[in-house]
Amino acid sequence: MDVLDRIKELKEEKNAVILAHYYVDGAIQDVADFVGDSLELARKAKETEADIIVFCGVYFMAETAKVLNPNRKVLIPYYKAGCLMADMAIAEEIKEFREKNPEYAVVTYVNSSADVKAVSDICCTSANAMKIVESLDAEKILFVPDKNLGSYVAEKVKGKEIKLWSGYCPVHQKLTPEEVKRVKEENPDAVFVVHPECRKEVRDLADFIGSTSQIVRFVKETDAKKVIVGTEKGTIHQLKKLRPDVEFIPAYSEFVCDQMKMITVERLLKALEREQFEVHVDPEVAKSARRAIERMLEVR
Ligand code: 13P
Ligand code: SF4
């Protein structure tokens, strides 16, 4: 039997749900029950009734699903698929900061470990970061770990003092304004959409800035016939399905998160067959991390 057919069969047999981020391989997106960005996937993980959640994304995403579903089995097809940005913040450093600066509220991007979430006041994703910061009474905010998303929020939200952690996504950071200008010159009729994880000089050249799902929604409605995509290439798989009439150009040719690409169909099949690799989060850490994630999910 073909690998994809076997995945579908096992999924039914085991009452499993497959959640996939836009950055994983197209074949996995096609076999998944739901494809979304971090916020949508966190909401789906909270709503599911399945016995097993197979999370096709990087580790922090599967960990978030586990934190929200302590009594369900959560699997990630490859446990070494991590997020390079998430590794740029550790809980001890945040705790030290909080002790020295008790007047700050800590807003943590979901691209972080459960340990870091556990010592934060509230989480956010790239889709709701502005709303989350605005929802807080505190005037002083520490934004962890993405300095680019944090600086974007700081530009938009007035009346808050936002201190930035020094993390970033190497995949989005790699896109330079020079490269964008070159691609724009080659495609003068194209619109340029960008993820807020890109640096400010790149965002300043954009026609639209948004999380992955916000980019998808923008493209659905656009009149443009050419779009330069300033985020991970996997997103183009969904964009092409939605708008076969539009030409999509990656903002740079290797706009690829290698970590996301560690999730392959073969590993997904093994995950379902062997029920591996199970994600575990220490119950005490999970309790505190859940508070920060659920507080985020309450902000609409
Ligand atoms: P989204 O919030 O758009 O899902 O972004 C997640 C991510 O890892 C981007 O690099
Ligand atoms: Fe992490 Fe960047 Fe990969 Fe997103 S694209 S998962 S932020 S390394």
Side-chain angles (χ1 to χ4, degrees), residues 23 58 60 83-85 111 169-172 197 257 260:
Y23 296 173
V58 287
F60 79 81
C83 168
L84 304 170
M85 176 185 345
N111 294 37
C169 163
V171 182
H172 286 81
E197 283 179 17
C257 175
M260 288 278 187

Side-chain angles (χ1 to χ4, degrees), residues 242-259:
L242 274 174
R243 293 295 304 268
D245 56 319
V246 173
E247 185 187 341
F248 296 101
I249 304 142
Y252 72 94
S253 59
E254 285 317 306
F255 212 143
V256 174
C257 175
D258 292 334
Q259 301 291 314

Side-chain angles (χ1 to χ4, degrees), residues 62 94 112 116 133-134 141 154 177-178 182 194 199 203 269 292:
I94 317 272
S112 54
V116 168
V133 169
E134 277 165 353
I141 310 281
E178 293 72 31
R182 196 188 61 72
V194 81
R199 56 181 96 189
R203 295 197 308 264
L269 175 59

Side-chain angles (χ1 to χ4, degrees), residues 10-29:
L10 279 170
K11 192 179 74 170
E12 296 303 316
E13 237 172 66
K14 300 197 174 198
N15 188 27
V17 65
I18 301 177
L19 304 181
H21 192 274
Y22 287 115
Y23 296 173
V24 295
D25 205 59
I28 293 181
Q29 295 187 33

Side-chain angles (χ1 to χ4, degrees), residues 21-23 36-41 58 60-61 83 85 109-111 124-128 146 149 169 171-172 195-197 210-215 231-232 235 255 257 260:
H21 192 274
Y22 287 115
Y23 296 173
D37 71 357
S38 304
L39 181 60
E40 292 171 330
L41 292 171
V58 287
F60 79 81
M61 297 179 174
C83 168
M85 176 185 345
Y109 189 24
V110 285
N111 294 37
C124 74
T125 75
S126 58
N128 64 11
D146 186 10
L149 177 61
C169 163
V171 182
H172 286 81
H195 197 282
E197 283 179 17
S211 75
T212 328
S213 64
Q214 289 164 344
I215 289 177
T231 193
E232 215 272 355
T235 313
F255 212 143
C257 175
M260 288 278 187

Side-chain angles (χ1 to χ4, degrees), residues 193-207:
V193 298
V194 81
H195 197 282
E197 283 179 17
C198 289
R199 56 181 96 189
K200 178 177 165 45
E201 304 78 43
V202 165
R203 295 197 308 264
D204 286 347
L205 298 169
D207 298 295

Side-chain angles (χ1 to χ4, degrees), residues 109-164:
Y109 189 24
V110 285
N111 294 37
S112 54
S113 67
D115 291 6
V116 168
K117 290 182 178 80
V119 295
S120 306
D121 290 293
I122 189 165
C123 289
C124 74
T125 75
S126 58
N128 64 11
M130 256 107 67
K131 252 194 212 164
I132 297 294
V133 169
E134 277 165 353
S135 76
L136 299 174
D137 289 335
E139 269 174 31
K140 292 188 175 187
I141 310 281
L142 174 68
F143 194 93
V144 181
D146 186 10
K147 62 177 180 181
N148 290 326
L149 177 61
S151 75
Y152 179 55
V153 173
E155 276 167 30
K156 300 281 168 193
V157 177
K158 303 291 163 220
K160 305 265 185 202
E161 194 183 309
I162 302 182
K163 196 172 173 59
L164 305 175

Side-chain angles (χ1 to χ4, degrees), residues 43-55:
R43 289 200 193 282
K44 280 281 162 194
K46 195 172 151 65
E47 285 161 15
T48 189
E49 303 252 297
D51 294 319
I52 300 178
I53 300 173
V54 187
F55 209 108

